[in-house]
Amino acid sequence: MNQNLQIRKVAVLGAGVMGAQIAAHLVNANVPTILFDLAAREGEPNGIVNKALEGLKKLEPSPLASPAKVQYIVAANYQQHLEKLRECDLVIEAIAERVDWKSDLYHKVAPYLGAHAIFATNTSGLSINQLAAAFPESLRHRFCGIHFFNPPRYMHLVELIACENTDVGLLDQLETFLVSGLGKGVVRAKDTPNFIANRIGVFSLLATAHHARQMGLGFDTVDALTGRYLGRPKSATFRTLDVVGLDTFAHVVNTMRDNLADDPWHQYFAVPNWLEKLIAQGALGQKSKRGIYQKSGKEIRVLDLASGEYRASDNEVGLGMKELLRERDWAKKLAMLHSNPHPQAQFLWAMFRDVFHYCALQLEHIADNARDLDCAVRWGFGWDSGPFEIWQAAGWQQVAGWINADIAAGKAMFSAPLPAWVTEGSRNGVHNAQGSYAPAGKTYQPRSALPVYQRQIFPERLLGEVVFNKSLCTVGTGETIFENESVRLWHTGDDIAILSFNTKMHVIGDEVLDSILRAVDEAEARWRGLIIWQTEPPFSAGANLLQLMQGMQESAGDAGMLGKLKQAANRVKYTVAGGGGMGDLFKAAIGDVPRVEAVIAKFQQATMRIKYAKVPVVSAVDGLALGGGCEIIMHSARVVASLESYIGLVEVGVGVLPAGGGSKEATLRSASEAKGGDLFPFLRRYFQNIAMGEVAKSAELAREMGYLRPSDRIVLNRFEILHVAKQEIHALTATDYRPPLPATQIPVAGRPGIATLQAAMVNMLEGGFISEHDYKVGCAVADTLCGGDVEAGSLVDEQWLLDLERKHFIALLATEKTQARIEYMLKNGKPLRN
Ligand code: NAD
């Protein structure tokens, strides 16, 4: 039985911030959805919902994977449409956070629920059992909590909370749907106020604010210390509050104060005076353009508590702190924070200490095991690692000793020692090969055995946990076929080879190209098929510009500069050391045209080899697939892309055009989409996207742009793409797989096509929308896509188009402006507009 299929239609009650966005994500997953709200007092009865649907189209980042999806949300109101509820297998309630209002609504809708429908509330902190009490007793076994995080499309976490009567099988079914159908990370939480993620996350924010005040640290300093340096979002602590909304945060804190009288840290559950003052002034954060921070022109100013005024924000961390903060090994980092007398180090240590203390004491009350707590904080607050993971990685017993010593010395926020289980025996952490620590049974609980997780060969890994799914990967963490600095070809114990890149951002350099050629040879000789899949996103940030130029530089004889550039290439964003100019490098390099051509030709050879391999090559994509990354996927027999794949041919950003077969595929695809009719409208779409360097903001949009074909697959859960890619190989080889026949008769738009595209660009140039160089690059793209200087409707083959790509690539590379763009990208990691 396929449990996913049972949820055919969903109703969402409440078209507010959460309800509307949950509805959007349901249609992202192709689940037809009815969105309810109160009937409007005046005008169109569905007015409230219609307004919310309009709002969805304007929100950034977009809750909709494509604007077209919104048509699958049907607007409804409780006055006219309650009968429609009978069609729904799942009803999600997301109305205002009031027990009385929610209870009233339950009475109203209960008689209309389908016989097997699940009813779930998205409350962020109210008691599920209390809410269940408002539900008819006969239906209570189908009631539960389903806590999405804002924004629901992007936040991975959903907490599922049973009430006393909830049917266990039904919750399993719901989890299956959430994980595979909607792509979420599900954590089962106990019915305690604010559940797991908000309970820990908000405590961490309060503890941070408390210690910052004690140490007299400014909001900007705290944010500089508690963001990426700790593996947390850039918005860190106080910027996060501004984004969430200071009023919303105050509401959550007040819920904790009102409902957690027994919590030993209760005295800290209070909204600080300064925050109350801001709220009273209507300074609610980002939504009211003023909060803890204020944007003034281009400058970000921060509230200074001493003066009550906003001052320039300096985001600088203390002298000597940077090195400590950059340390990636938690054992060294926490040891330094613990022993370093610098007030900023002591602040951070105090914050970690109290959060660890809180987690250890509360674990048994709020979660089944330590994995659920860590995952909830990772997925709900965007931390790279959860609190227990960090503690374990830092040396469990050592850190426990420090915490207990601080508690004994009266330094901690609460005076009771760590619970006994923490230091029992020779425990060295909470995650190990058996599972994660579960206080109820004092055992290590393995991961869920729910069949849906059999689709995740490599689920998200916690520090200290064993990673792979034993039934799906029978050879440990995979067996290597061959490996070098740039790639690893490997398998999981079946007959499918997997190619993963080892390069930074999975950029494609010379060795990657050689390895692709070798991997395809290998796959044809011994394997059923080849999957290109990365163990972490991105799929690929594109060609490694530096390595691509390496051959040319060597011939120019400037080994010193090459060394510098190589070093630079190993750093994030390829920053060039010492600002050494690249202009000379290119001037020398392009003197050696055959060498440059050889590199480009190898790129084309690699993508053509992928396309015409005797066994299917499937690209399993998650995250960025840009430039050369996009060209690889366009040449694959099949693409399996997670919804959050951001795909585009962005070469114009560095002043060149797609020359690894991407331009050629665009021409080919427009010809095949035109089905013998006028190909120009199809071609123009590819042209615009390439000439503007557009990146699709979802896999759905990539399909609309033509980078994914109708036959390619979009998968909601990124941890499932490898599994689905394998299934695709099985499907493709079930009938005798054959590569496509060579395209030898491709109709092109020729001279008239080029002229039309150029005319449009002339207008943009004269209107000041594009630069001279944009125009030049655009002309090269137009010429290539239209098949060059030929009659409209001429028939060409793939090699003709590839030759055009190479010719224009070399010509553009010879221009100073293109060289400046490449140099700027290497230095700054973003495109230069010149
Ligand atoms: P919201 O204020 O944006 O929307 C609430 C909706 O409820 C509105 O559309 C309103 O018309 C409707 N409503 C108000 N009173 C009603 C009544 N008596 N009967 C029927 N409908 C009524 O709220 P929100 O932020 O979307 O929150 C909705 C739920 O989701 C709450 O339970 C909240 O705790 C929870 N939640 C919110 C967030 C968040 O970040 N906003 C995150 C997770 C969970």
Side-chain angles (χ1 to χ4, degrees), residues 641-707:
S642 79
L643 185 71
E644 301 309 329
S645 295
Y646 310 113
I647 302 173
L649 291 171
V650 295
E651 284 83 349
V652 296
V654 287
V656 291
L657 81 169
S663 304
K664 179 250 320 172
E665 280 300 304
T667 303
L668 216 90
R669 286 186 183 192
S670 34
S672 95
E673 285 159 18
K675 296 194 178 80
D678 181 9
L679 68 84
F680 195 73
F682 299 94
L683 188 76
R684 184 168 48 205
R685 181 186 59 165
Y686 285 102
F687 170 76
Q688 282 166 346
N689 289 328
I690 295 173
M692 305 294 286
E694 289 287 346
V695 177
K697 292 198 177 120
S698 72
E700 287 287 351
L701 287 172
R703 182 174 274 162
E704 287 173 22
M705 286 162 73
Y707 295 144

Side-chain angles (χ1 to χ4, degrees), residues 30 67 80 177 192 247 361 373 405 412 416 427 474 484 514 532 633 762 767 774 823 831:
N30 295 327
Q80 297 174 294
F177 171 70
T192 55
D247 53 338
L361 260 164
L373 189 149
R427 189 186 309 285
T474 53
N484 53 42
D514 285 331
I532 305 179
I633 73 170
V762 167
D774 289 332
E823 181 171 354

Side-chain angles (χ1 to χ4, degrees), residues 12 177 285 289 320 341 399 466 504 520 657 703 734 761 780:
V12 179
F177 171 70
K289 307 216 161 27
V399 173
V466 175
K504 203 156 259 179
V520 177
L657 81 169
R703 182 174 274 162
M761 283 191 293

Side-chain angles (χ1 to χ4, degrees), residues 284-313:
L284 306 179
Q286 208 173 55
K287 61 186 163 192
S288 56
K289 307 216 161 27
R290 182 164 84 88
I292 297 168
Y293 291 88
Q294 183 178 34
K295 216 170 162 190
S296 139
K298 278 200 168 164
E299 196 194 4
I300 307 271
R301 297 173 71 79
V302 63
L303 183 67
D304 188 305
L305 279 189
S307 67
E309 304 288 326
Y310 289 87
R311 61 163 168 79
S313 157

Side-chain angles (χ1 to χ4, degrees), residues 14-19 37-38 48 78 94-97 101-102 105 122-124 147-150:
V17 173
M18 288 304 284
D37 211 307
L38 300 165
I48 297 179
Y78 308 117
I95 72 158
E97 189 79 330
W101 294 354
K102 289 188 194 273
L105 184 67
N122 182 49
T123 176
S124 20
H147 186 207
F148 284 88
F149 280 66
N150 189 13

Side-chain angles (χ1 to χ4, degrees), residues 27-49:
V27 293
N28 287 343
N30 295 327
V31 182
T33 300
I34 309 176
L35 181 58
F36 279 83
D37 211 307
L38 300 165
R41 291 216 178 91
E42 290 168 12
E44 158 67 32
N46 284 336
I48 297 179
V49 177

